[in-house]
Amino acid sequence: MRLVVLSDLHDGGAPPSGGAFGRIEPGRLLLRRAVRRINRFLKPDFVAVLGDLVEDGAAPDAGARYAALRRILEELTPPWLVLPGNHDAPPETFYRHWPRPADRIELGGARLLPFADRFMPEHRAERAAGDLARAAAAGAEWNGPVIALHHVPLFPPGAHECPYNYVNAEAALAANARGGVSLTVAGHYHRGFGPIPCPGGWTLAAPAFRDAPFRFLEIEARAGRPPTVVEHALRMPDRLPLAESHVHTELAYCAGDITAQGAVETCALVGVRAPAFAEHSGQLYFDADTFWRAAFMARGLRGRQGRVDRVAAYRAAAADAGVPPARIGFETDFDFEGRPVLRAADRARAGFLIGSWHWTPETAANAPFDLALCAQRHRRVWDRMLGAGIAVLAHPFRIFNRAGIPPPRDLFPELARRLKASGVAAELNFHIEEPAPDFARACLEAGVRLSLATDSHDLVEVADFWPHLRLLRALGVADSDLDRILWRPGDGRG
């Protein structure tokens, strides 16, 4: 079974990394990011949150904090449980706010045993006689892994430097061994450890989620074999030359909770330099109804229907967040004929330009999708876009993906050649669809620079480059290659 474990959220404690945040709630934003990664990419059998959800379970606002955290965890696709930690309210109060797990859970070929043990002085714990008996009987009529879940680590005394353990650790370990418990998973010890051997199996402690780099564990448990443990971190590695190059603002019609200031704070939280903003030009020049009906696409800037002018408000929002002009650009819409929907004066002031194409005449009219015609239209528009001074071509196959039709594979090397000849970078964008690995490979082989973009419309997306890095590493790109192959605002044309 594949299990994801988080522990020690400490909601209500000091801000992570000692940062100052005015527009985001950092701990909850990080939890949302973990939930997003779990649901979209990891897809485990089960998720366990192993205690210390809040800093002070006796505080007057503890109930409200539990409610806020529960709303986030209820977005999880896989089943999940939470257990109380020593900072939480006592179990009888804690489980007024959370679903109480069963004594035994069978899922994904494994049997899970959750424990809410008694906490003792010096941040240790004690397992009650009834729970010792439950552990000792856990493996009855069961051939798969048996996994114990609790807050305080349980390990052979002296086997690790962790100062926290059970006061009756020997009895608890012996009961686990009799019951066939092959894996014991806890939290509490913020550094985390393991897996290390213990009687009958292995034991480990998940690191504290609230401490940078905001880690959680993905564990694969197999009967009779050591667990496979992958550590995930939500803060990007400091050594990598990463820059967020495609973020939207509150001016976007498709904005969720994104704000320019919130995006800046989010980048600081996850260790990425301040974002470069690229707002939809079509959304700055036309009202929402005209934009979403693609009514501006036939005539572009020559059309007068639904015209507005929101460019100054966009620039002000980005500037007020402390972003310099060189990092304030446009996601430039191109009309049906491949003409940029961008005024010359705005183009002259832009720090950089990203080119995007969102509709063909057929998709705008909801006409039947013609694969060959769509490919033909892309070729013609690409010719014009790549000669229009853009630095990056955004999500080049989005029209195909939105139609649920895979783009023709012969377009991948063809577009890569065109990008190389024009000096335009290709965007890797996970906002809606998954980038095609074969297209990324074609770009790398052609020597085309890549822009790692989140195309963020919600704060949960900003500067989350984990899927991008996973894709590049699968294609054989080493971290040491990134500085050479990546486009970042300030590079190339713009």
Side-chain angles (χ1 to χ4, degrees), residues 387-432:
I390 62 173
V392 180
L393 182 62
H395 44 71
F397 302 104
R398 177 157 295 177
I399 291 174
F400 294 96
N401 292 322
R402 280 183 167 169
I405 307 294
R409 294 174 61 86
D410 61 347
L411 288 180
F412 297 163
E414 177 185 342
L415 178 56
R417 290 192 297 270
R418 294 183 182 211
L419 290 167
K420 178 62 176 177
S422 60
V424 175
E427 185 177 89
L428 293 187
N429 183 322
F430 283 81
H431 171 56
I432 294 176

Side-chain angles (χ1 to χ4, degrees), residues 42-357:
L42 305 185
K43 301 177 181 178
D45 298 302
F46 200 79
V47 177
V49 184
L50 300 184
D52 282 359
L53 281 82
V54 299
E55 179 67 18
D56 183 1
D61 64 350
R65 293 187 179 279
Y66 285 140
L69 296 174
R70 180 167 177 171
R71 285 192 293 271
I72 298 172
L73 292 176
E74 284 177 340
E75 296 297 319
L76 282 166
T77 301
W80 53 276
L81 64 75
V82 296
L83 298 177
N86 58 298
H87 278 255
D88 290 309
E92 61 272 15
T93 302
F94 183 84
Y95 284 121
R96 295 174 191 166
H97 303 282
W98 297 98
R100 186 186 291 269
D103 285 348
R104 178 185 293 178
I105 301 168
E106 294 177 3
L107 189 76
R111 180 172 281 175
L112 305 176
L113 299 180
F115 294 96
D117 296 300
R118 178 187 177 194
F119 297 112
M120 304 294 288
E122 300 179 343
H123 304 293
R124 298 192 293 173
E126 180 180 41
R127 181 145 297 166
D131 284 332
L132 292 173
R134 178 159 61 98
E141 301 179 356
W142 188 256
N143 294 322
V146 180
I147 303 171
L149 303 170
H150 40 87
H151 181 62
V152 173
L154 174 61
F155 56 96
H160 195 271
E161 64 182 10
C162 171
Y164 318 120
N165 202 342
Y166 280 67
V167 295
N168 57 345
E170 292 90 345
L173 289 167
N176 282 358
R178 289 196 301 273
V181 174
S182 54
L183 178 61
T184 297
V185 185
H188 190 51
Y189 182 56
H190 284 204
R191 297 179 187 177
F193 68 73
I196 60 176
C198 67
W202 302 82
T203 183
L204 61 88
F209 183 75
R210 75 166 305 279
D211 296 339
F214 318 121
R215 296 173 291 168
F216 63 94
L217 302 182
E218 180 185 8
I219 303 168
E220 183 175 344
R222 297 160 292 185
R225 299 174 63 184
T228 300
V229 180
V230 176
E231 184 177 277
H232 289 264
L234 296 181
R235 185 176 173 91
M236 295 291 102
D238 293 336
R239 69 183 186 279
L240 299 186
L242 303 176
E244 175 61 274
S245 61
H246 189 169
V247 180
H248 293 276
T249 68
E250 54 266 47
L251 273 293
Y253 295 140
C254 39
D257 66 351
I258 194 86
T259 65
Q261 182 61 46
V264 170
E265 292 181 10
T266 301
C267 283
L269 178 66
V270 299
V272 174
R273 69 179 291 195
F277 293 105
E279 197 55 86
H280 300 278
S281 65
Q283 295 187 15
L284 298 175
Y285 293 150
F286 297 93
D287 62 32
D289 178 69
T290 302
F291 181 84
W292 291 121
R293 289 190 296 107
F296 72 100
M297 287 289 290
R299 294 182 57 80
L301 283 178
R302 296 177 301 172
R304 306 309 306 171
Q305 175 186 353
R307 287 298 290 268
V308 297
D309 189 349
R310 306 166 69 229
V311 173
Y314 161 56
R315 287 191 174 280
D320 288 350
V323 175
R327 299 181 67 77
I328 304 174
F330 294 94
E331 180 181 351
T332 308
D333 287 284
F334 283 74
D335 67 19
F336 289 148
E337 299 302 318
R339 296 174 298 227
V341 183
L342 187 66
R343 296 179 305 207
D346 294 326
R347 176 174 180 165
R349 295 184 63 194
F352 62 99
L353 300 179
I354 295 173
S356 65
W357 203 44

